[in-house]
Amino acid sequence: LTDLVDLVTANDAVPSREADIEAFRQEAHRVVDWAASYLGRSEQYPVLSQVSPGDITALLPVAPPLDGLGVAGTIGEVERVVVPGLTHWNSPEFMAYFATTSPPPGIIGELYTAALNQNALVWQSSPAIHEVEGVVLDWLRQMIGLPEGFFGIIYDTASISTLCAVAAARARAVPDVGNTGMVDGPRLRMYASQEAHSVVDKAATILGIGRENLRKIAIDEDFRMKPEALNVAIEDDLAAGFHPFCVVATVGTTSTTSVDPVSDIADIAERHGLWLHVDAAYGGAAAILPEMRWILGGAGRADSLCLNPHKWLFVPVDLSAFYTRHPNDLRRAFAYVRPYLETDHDEEVANLSDFGPQLGRRFRGLKLWLVIRAYGVKGLQEIIRGHIELAKDFEAWIRDHRDFELLAPRPFSTVCFRAHPPDVREEDLAAVNADLLRRVNATGDVFISHTTAGGRYMLRVAIGNMWTKQQHMDRLKEILATCLAEV
Ligand SMILES: Cc1ncc(COP(=O)(O)O)c(C=O)c1O
């Protein structure tokens, strides 16, 4: 009897296919209207979420819901529960971390991706994913001026791109590592600057290299890796019997957006036979501007490179574009024979699951394609150029202000600075600036972040939302001045 009751309840609870789709048709229009209004008025919300830890959890029942609400009911829930807990990454007032945008063509891409529910696995399971991704990544390669000969693949994040780069480098250094594991031979050593992102440390940890074998190379006064220090570290390691195998250069470091001298690093990598990976997660997008091409000078000699269109190329999170000149090494790191996935096309195509840790993968390339199609290269260039101009103007304001000072060069659209009123002692500046940051973000009108580099606490303003305009920057200046007076 209980089984029967459960069955009847279950059947009643699930609408027919037709009813479900009809509800979707009606409600999705409402959501699109809501999303369009949201995009136009996101400034009305405090940009940094004002909730406390646990507030959102408290809005949700502890037990899973027995009865469904239907599509219509769920939409109200999202507005009631989720919206208060949002920090508004899609707002032009968001200038923290690296600011991003999810613009209309990107949102439409996500909608298509969800509706089509493609899963790459192997070519025949979604020829469109394989081929659209291949073409759109080749467009992006051309846009940033990378030479031909790079194989491209989309991962979710730069964390995974970096992991895959180091995995490929390891597969080249120890060809049989997939079978034997890291058992014999001299210890592998890898290198990155002191300012490299922690994704490099994570890759070293996950791949069994060990963080002790990731050497952090000294930086110059502009936060760039010192090539001569890299060379010395490699030579010391060789003399000590280690096996140097990989170096990561960063184009646009996370704290100060410094650009490592990739050409000089490439010379050293080539001389010692190291795999060179370029992490251009944020900065790489700027190379679509002819006047910014210099940032990727030498990157054509790299073994691999990644950039994140979900950072500064107006694609909804997540999407990291990865390129390598050695797809066979990448394949060696990840390909695995699965008889149940063999197809008649395996000799003609590159099955994406052979080039990364995941078997299944979603159709991320669609949103990148739609964004490039919608705005064109010229449109994207105009937005990025506009951001750099806004950053230049803000930098000039800081430079000329009696109570603020710049703390790092500004190659892109991120400005690092601090308040330094003449009467405040150096040892008190970190506390003063932390207090200033708290007050600025508590206004809810802007959201900026902080970092520590070269031993100094800094504030960071990162312009990267495509709707950020001069009026938002003017408001930020006003807020900084007012809050500093309170501090
Ligand atoms: C230089 C750099 N590399 C890697 C990352 C990690 O990116 P993701 O969040 O895509 O893993 C970041 C994040 O800001 C970054 O700035």
Side-chain angles (χ1 to χ4, degrees):
L1 184 62
T2 316
D3 285 347
L4 191 62
V5 168
D6 282 347
L7 190 65
V8 170
T9 313
N11 282 344
D12 285 344
V14 180
S16 68
R17 182 181 182 192
E18 291 74 18
D20 217 13
I21 293 170
E22 198 42 44
F24 167 72
R25 191 188 305 284
Q26 288 176 19
E27 298 306 327
H29 280 294
R30 215 158 67 80
V31 175
V32 170
D33 278 343
W34 184 89
S37 323
Y38 170 74
L39 294 181
R41 66 177 156 78
S42 51
E43 292 99 310
Q44 289 176 5
Y45 298 95
V47 58
L48 175 64
S49 176
Q50 307 286 304
V51 297
S52 301
D55 284 357
I56 301 300
T57 310
L59 293 175
L60 290 162
V62 176
L66 216 50
D67 296 316
L69 292 172
V71 177
T74 56
I75 290 166
E77 292 272 283
V78 171
E79 292 181 31
R80 187 177 65 81
V81 176
V82 174
V83 173
L86 297 177
T87 287
H88 293 271
W89 283 77
N90 224 6
S91 164
E93 296 167 334
F94 186 109
M95 302 172 195
Y97 315 124
F98 285 125
T100 63
T101 319
S102 177
I107 299 170
I108 290 171
E110 289 285 14
L111 181 58
Y112 272 126
T113 296
L116 301 173
N117 199 28
Q118 294 292 286
N119 193 341
L121 307 183
V122 289
W123 178 86
Q124 74 169 18
S125 73
S126 185
I129 294 190
H130 283 73
E131 299 194 15
V132 170
E133 267 193 29
V135 171
V136 83
L137 283 181
D138 200 58
W139 289 354
L140 186 58
R141 176 192 65 74
Q142 296 174 54
M143 286 162 66
I144 60 172
L146 214 54
E148 283 181 7
F150 277 85
F151 164 86
I153 182 165
I154 292 175
Y155 300 124
D156 55 357
T157 55
S159 306
I160 297 299
S161 290
T162 310
L163 179 74
C164 292
V166 180
R170 192 185 65 159
R172 189 161 74 169
V174 188
D176 205 29
V177 68
N179 289 318
T180 61
M182 303 279 289
V183 283
D184 299 322
R187 283 221 306 228
L188 294 180
R189 295 285 251 196
M190 58 185 285
Y191 310 84
S193 97
Q194 290 165 349
E195 288 294 303
H197 196 278
S198 57
V199 295
V200 183
D201 302 62
K202 276 197 189 176
T205 314
I206 296 168
L207 292 165
I209 310 299
R211 281 201 297 275
E212 276 180 14
N213 297 307
L214 165 59
R215 293 198 57 183
K216 297 292 177 70
I217 305 301
I219 47 171
D220 65 17
E221 65 288 355
D222 288 339
F223 307 99
R224 299 172 301 198
M225 187 196 289
K226 284 184 176 167
E228 48 305 345
L230 171 67
N231 201 41
V232 168
I234 294 171
E235 286 182 353
D236 283 354
D237 280 352
L238 285 169
F242 292 116
H243 180 170
F245 79 107
C246 177
V247 55
V248 178
T250 311
V251 170
T253 56
T254 313
S255 279
T256 66
T257 72
S258 57
V259 177
D260 285 341
V262 176
S263 260
D264 296 344
I265 295 171
D267 289 343
I268 296 168
E270 277 167 15
R271 196 159 59 242
H272 294 290
L274 269 64
W275 180 289
L276 167 59
H277 175 65
V278 175
D279 176 0
Y282 158 71
I288 71 168
L289 299 179
E291 66 271 27
M292 290 296 292
R293 276 281 163 83
W294 63 269
I295 58 166
L296 291 184
R301 292 158 62 199
D303 299 285
S304 58
L305 172 143
C306 74
L307 74 153
N308 278 8
H310 79 223
K311 285 197 182 354
W312 200 17
L313 214 53
F314 321 113
V315 170
V317 70
D318 50 10
L319 197 159
S320 183
F322 178 85
Y323 295 94
T324 178
R325 289 195 287 125
H326 313 291
N328 284 340
D329 288 321
L330 188 62
R331 200 170 186 286
R332 182 146 13 96
F334 293 110
Y336 197 75
V337 180
R338 294 147 308 190
Y340 51 90
L341 285 179
E342 280 170 5
T343 74
D344 293 342
H345 306 289
D346 292 346
E347 297 301 315
E348 308 160 67
V349 295
N351 292 316
L352 291 179
S353 54
D354 286 342
F355 296 88
Q358 308 94 340
L359 171 60
R361 64 170 61 230
R362 65 199 291 264
F363 198 171
R364 289 195 180 83
L366 189 52
K367 58 188 173 181
L368 178 58
W369 176 46
L370 293 186
V371 166
I372 298 176
R373 272 323 260 134
Y375 298 117
V377 178
K378 280 191 190 160
L380 296 170
Q381 286 174 330
E382 194 179 306
I383 305 166
I384 290 186
R385 194 173 279 128
H387 285 167
I388 295 175
E389 287 307 312
L390 289 176
K392 271 188 197 159
D393 174 83
F394 181 72
E395 181 187 34
W397 183 79
I398 293 285
R399 188 184 296 116
D400 296 343
H401 200 293
R402 192 192 71 127
D403 293 333
F404 289 100
E405 66 183 355
L406 294 167
L407 291 183
R410 180 216 38 81
F412 302 99
S413 63
T414 300
V415 182
C416 295
F417 65 102
R418 68 178 174 181
H420 189 172
D423 53 339
V424 180
R425 290 173 311 173
E426 179 67 38
E427 58 269 37
D428 296 328
L429 283 172
V432 164
N433 279 278
D435 188 9
L436 175 61
L437 179 73
R438 228 170 277 121
R439 288 169 192 268
V440 167
N441 289 339
T443 63
D445 286 352
V446 286
F447 178 31
I448 65 173
S449 55
H450 70 97
T451 189
T452 300
R456 294 195 289 192
Y457 183 95
M458 305 179 182
L459 303 179
R460 274 172 90 264
V461 165
I463 302 163
N465 181 276
M466 64 188 268
W467 299 301
T468 301
K469 296 283 178 271
Q470 189 62 49
Q471 82 225 42
H472 302 106
M473 301 309 299
D474 291 343
R475 177 81 187 115
L476 169 66
K477 292 174 193 169
E478 247 175 67
I479 293 171
L480 279 167
T482 314
C483 292
L484 184 60
E486 289 167 16
V487 171

